[in-house]
Structures are given as structure tokens and as C-alpha cells.
Amino acid sequence: MKISSINVRSIQNTNRREIIYHALKQTDADIICLQECTIPYANSYKYLESGWDEGKAFFSGTNKSRSAGIGIIVKGSHLKIKNYEEIIKGRVANLEVITEDRQETNIINVYAPTDKQERCDVLEKLNILLLRQKRKVVVGDFNCVIDEVGGRRPDKSAKLLKTIIKEHQLKDTYREVNKIDKGYTWTGGRGEKKSRIDMILTSTEATVISFRIQPVFFSDHQLITAEIKEGRTIQRGKGYWKLNITLLEDKEIKAKYERKYKEWTSLKDACPNQIEWWDIVKEKTKAFFQIEGKKKKHQQTQELKKLQQQLEEYYKIENAGIGMGSEIQEGKRKIEEYYREEEKKIKFHSRVKEMEEGERCTSFFFKKIKEKKNKTQLKEIKTSGT
């Protein structure tokens, strides 16, 4: 199971939220915990949930602090949701899931206040919550450090957090795989302030496979992801194949397929009947589009990968003490630009004629895409002379 955490620095604005959601969809995490969502308390958070079409989404807001608000979003349906509970509105929430190895695990999302005393109050309540949990993963922005790095020393709240880690036999997933590097997750000011205040803590019986710190364009915090193995794993089947219909809009791929299809017509004489020939063509068609789809996806992601790697290099240089503020901002701008272009593609593929320039990419468009896919069926293939 892969769990990510990111302080999003607000998802209240619709356009900003959609761009962030789209960026998070590109991650390979099973569960993503969000902090500093800046959402007020509400009886329903459908306006936040509806934009996330990858799986279930849970949010908690409060009117006590403008910057508070947390969310837990799930990718896919392979994790069964057993229960969701708000512990402290806008600050702490618990999502109980049943993993693929049929074990109940509690994912606890924490956004600790910047005020030291308020932070201690939140951690005290977290301490009580953990008494009734067995398998658990505690994720979030704790706004305090347990390592003396970056010029920020552990305070009273940090000592309390260290006590919680010890008493509940939790382990710091980052330190499990990296004993030396500072692992900064937040950079403030012009880069002169750095600290590791974002963490993923897990029960001692879990095995930490990997940990990644990844810069994002929409926050001064970095996205952290831990891959955790708990118990035996269950292998999934291959499932069923669906044609990516956007490939049919690529003129080069379309022309290439038509040439292939003409080649396959020569197989008719070798088949006892038309049905068997058609079964062969269907398999070849599937293999063709799978290969072409992978090629196109690879091409599309290369640019983003290059930009992301460049941004990570800028952060490494910055952490070494060389100012890279302008390069980092430019790198973030380019990545944001990429995702905005992706958003335009989503709008285009929905084929909604009434769409006006500047109209938001809401769940309405995603619904239209799904409707289009349901209606689009390849019943026959026609070429000249056939």
C-alpha cells in the first residue's frame, strides 16, 4: 500500500482545486492525505468530493481557523472503506480501511496548528485516539520537528510527538530507509528556512519498502509517499481490456492501423471461416492499440518527467545552500502549465459543444467523457474495397 501526504495550501478555489486534483491523479498512491485545505465546516462536502472521480473522498473543515481543513482521498476500489470519523474538525480524521491482505488499518490524517499550545492540545487528543487503534498509519503536517536540522529545534510539542511515537511503537517511515539525509519537506521564505515537518508514521509490524520526497508546483511543502507492506499480498488478475478511444483521434496511429488491417485481410484465405478470421483480427487490433497506447503515453509523460526531475535537482541545490528560488518558481510554473494543458484536453475530449473558453473542468466534463465511452462501440471496420 502506498500512502502520500501533502499540505496543499488551500483547495477552496475551484480552479486551483481542479488543477491539484489532476496533478494528484498522476501519482501512484493508494491513499493521499491533504492538509491546510482552508475549508470551513459544512454538513456536506460534496462540492469537494465530486471533483475527485478516482475513488472515495472524505473532508473535514472548521470555522475556528481559516487555514485548517483536511482531506483523505482514495484511488481505486481495491481498498474497502470500513469507517470514516472526524476526531477534531479540520485537524484530525481517521479512515479505517480493509487492505488487500484483509487486514483492518487505520489511516489517521493530522494537520497540527502553528500555535505551539494548540498543537500540543491536538497531539494530546491524538495520543488518546491511538490507544484504541491496532494497525495504524499516522500521516500529516505536524508543524514541529523531531530532528534538529534546518535551524529549527524541537519544542514542547515535538517532545510530545516523540513520546507518542515511542509509547505507541510507531516508526518514522523516512528514517527507516534514510538514516542520514535531512529530508526537508518544507521550504519557507526565499529558501533560507527548511524543515521536515511532514511525516508518515506506521506501526512497527509494517515493513517500509520505499519513501519518496517530491516537489510539487502548488505548495511550499513537498509530496511525501511511503510504500508500506503489511502481511501477505494478493495478486490481482489482468482484468479486461478497453480501447483508449483517444488513440483513434491520432491521424498517424489511424493511418498505421489502416495499413495493418490491409495486411491482415490476407489471412482470410488461411482461416476456415470469416468468424475465426475476425477473432484473429480482434486480437491483433488489441495488441496494436496496446503497443501504440503505451508509446503515446510514454511520449506524453516524458516532458512532465523531465520537468519534475529538473525541479527536484533545483531543490537539492537549494538544500545545499545555493539560492535557486527563481529557478524553482519557474520550474513550478512550467509544471502547472503542463497540467493546465491536460485540463484543456479533458475538456476537448468531452466534446461538449456548449463549452465556452475559460469554463471550468468540473465533474460534468468527466461524466460526458464516460457517456461518450459507453456510446462508442467498434462494430465494424471499413477500408476501401472491404
Side-chain angles (χ1 to χ4, degrees):
M1 178 169 61
K2 288 187 178 181
I3 300 175
S4 290
S5 178
I6 179 65
N7 179 313
V8 292
R9 297 302 301 274
S10 180
I11 55 169
Q12 187 67 350
N13 177 274
T14 305
N15 289 329
R16 176 179 170 79
R17 180 169 66 249
E18 287 161 2
I19 291 292
I20 291 173
Y21 278 3
H22 188 60
L24 294 177
K25 286 175 185 178
Q26 313 309 311
T27 69
D28 58 355
D30 300 296
I31 295 175
I32 308 171
C33 293
L34 314 177
Q35 303 90 36
E36 200 175 342
C37 296
T38 69
I39 52 177
Y41 170 77
N43 291 324
S44 172
Y45 297 99
K46 285 185 178 179
Y47 73 102
L48 298 173
E49 298 164 1
S50 60
W52 183 256
D53 61 348
E54 295 284 311
K56 296 287 186 180
F58 306 88
F59 293 92
S60 173
T62 179
N63 297 325
K64 292 183 178 180
S65 171
R66 187 177 178 182
S67 64
I70 55 177
I72 304 177
I73 53 180
V74 182
K75 289 185 70 178
S77 57
H78 55 286
L79 294 176
K80 183 179 178 182
I81 309 300
K82 185 177 180 181
N83 185 48
Y84 172 76
E85 181 184 7
E86 286 182 305
I87 309 302
I88 305 174
K89 294 188 187 315
R91 293 294 181 186
V92 182
N94 178 42
L95 181 67
E96 191 174 354
V97 301
I98 299 176
T99 60
E100 290 179 293
D101 59 353
R102 299 178 183 177
Q103 297 292 325
E104 294 180 5
T105 301
N106 294 279
I107 311 297
I108 302 162
N109 188 15
V110 179
Y111 177 40
T114 54
D115 179 82
K116 183 170 65 175
Q117 187 53 54
E118 291 179 6
R119 187 160 62 246
C120 287
D121 293 341
V122 167
L123 292 175
E124 287 286 4
K125 291 179 181 178
L126 173 65
N127 190 26
I128 296 170
L129 168 67
L130 294 177
L131 291 172
R132 57 185 176 92
Q133 310 291 7
K134 291 183 179 179
R135 292 172 56 148
K136 46 193 169 274
V137 183
V138 186
V139 180
D141 176 0
F142 295 90
N143 263 312
C144 61
V145 297
I146 56 175
D147 296 329
E148 292 189 31
V149 294
R152 188 171 179 176
R153 297 179 64 83
D155 58 14
K156 180 182 175 182
S157 63
K159 292 175 182 177
L160 176 56
L161 179 58
K162 290 172 89 171
T163 300
I164 290 172
I165 292 171
K166 184 178 179 180
E167 288 183 354
H168 295 281
Q169 297 183 319
L170 300 174
K171 57 186 177 184
D172 182 348
T173 55
Y174 177 72
R175 286 292 172 227
E176 284 295 304
V177 297
N178 200 315
K179 305 293 184 183
I180 301 172
D181 289 350
K182 295 174 181 178
Y184 296 130
T185 63
W186 170 81
T187 304
R190 295 183 178 180
E192 68 276 6
K193 297 178 181 179
K194 305 179 184 71
S195 60
R196 189 170 74 91
I197 57 177
D198 306 275
M199 287 175 279
I200 299 175
L201 311 170
T202 187
S203 303
T204 52
E205 64 267 19
T207 303
V208 182
I209 307 298
S210 64
F211 192 99
R212 185 181 181 190
I213 301 175
Q214 181 181 359
V216 293
F217 66 88
F218 53 82
S219 178
D220 53 358
H221 289 250
Q222 299 193 54
L223 177 74
I224 59 173
T225 303
E227 183 178 2
I228 301 165
K229 182 180 179 182
E230 297 185 279
R232 63 185 181 88
T233 57
I234 297 174
Q235 299 294 325
R236 297 185 206 170
K238 293 182 179 179
Y240 61 92
W241 176 73
K242 290 195 297 183
L243 172 63
N244 178 3
I245 58 174
T246 61
L247 296 174
L248 301 175
E249 297 168 2
D250 189 306
K251 292 181 180 179
E252 187 178 335
I253 293 176
K254 184 179 177 182
K256 189 175 179 180
Y257 178 76
E258 287 178 350
R259 291 194 297 270
K260 285 287 184 183
Y261 181 79
K262 286 180 181 179
E263 292 176 11
W264 298 335
T265 56
S266 63
L267 299 173
K268 283 184 179 180
D269 295 337
C271 296
N273 54 59
Q274 189 86 356
I275 294 174
E276 287 196 22
W277 171 79
W278 180 239
D279 285 338
I280 292 172
V281 170
K282 284 192 291 184
E283 285 300 314
K284 287 184 174 292
T285 296
K286 173 184 174 181
F288 172 85
F289 281 108
Q290 282 179 330
I291 292 170
E292 292 300 321
K294 288 178 181 178
K295 286 180 182 178
K296 188 165 186 179
K297 182 64 177 176
H298 177 73
Q299 291 170 356
Q300 289 173 338
T301 55
Q302 280 308 296
E303 181 185 358
L304 178 62
K305 187 177 180 181
K306 184 178 178 182
L307 291 171
Q308 187 66 50
Q309 288 175 343
Q310 192 175 48
L311 183 59
E312 289 179 20
E313 286 301 317
Y314 289 155
Y315 267 94
K316 287 179 182 178
I317 297 171
E318 176 84 18
N319 290 339
I322 301 173
M324 297 292 289
S326 59
E327 288 83 358
I328 288 172
Q329 290 305 313
E330 179 63 14
K332 287 186 175 184
R333 186 194 65 77
K334 287 181 179 179
I335 294 174
E336 182 176 6
E337 205 172 75
Y338 173 88
Y339 281 114
R340 289 194 183 279
E341 286 300 315
E342 286 294 303
E343 184 185 15
K344 288 178 183 177
K345 289 178 186 178
I346 292 171
K347 291 180 180 179
F348 174 78
H349 291 312
S350 69
R351 292 186 179 177
V352 180
K353 295 180 181 178
E354 298 81 8
M355 182 184 67
E356 298 176 356
E357 187 166 344
E359 190 168 28
R360 292 179 289 106
C361 184
T362 61
S363 57
F364 169 74
F365 286 99
F366 290 101
K367 183 179 178 182
K368 284 291 183 181
I369 292 172
K370 290 178 181 178
E371 289 176 357
K372 173 174 172 275
K373 286 183 178 179
N374 290 335
K375 292 178 182 178
T376 306
Q377 297 180 13
L378 189 64
K379 297 180 179 178
E380 60 181 0
I381 300 173
K382 292 184 179 180
T383 61
S384 56
T386 305

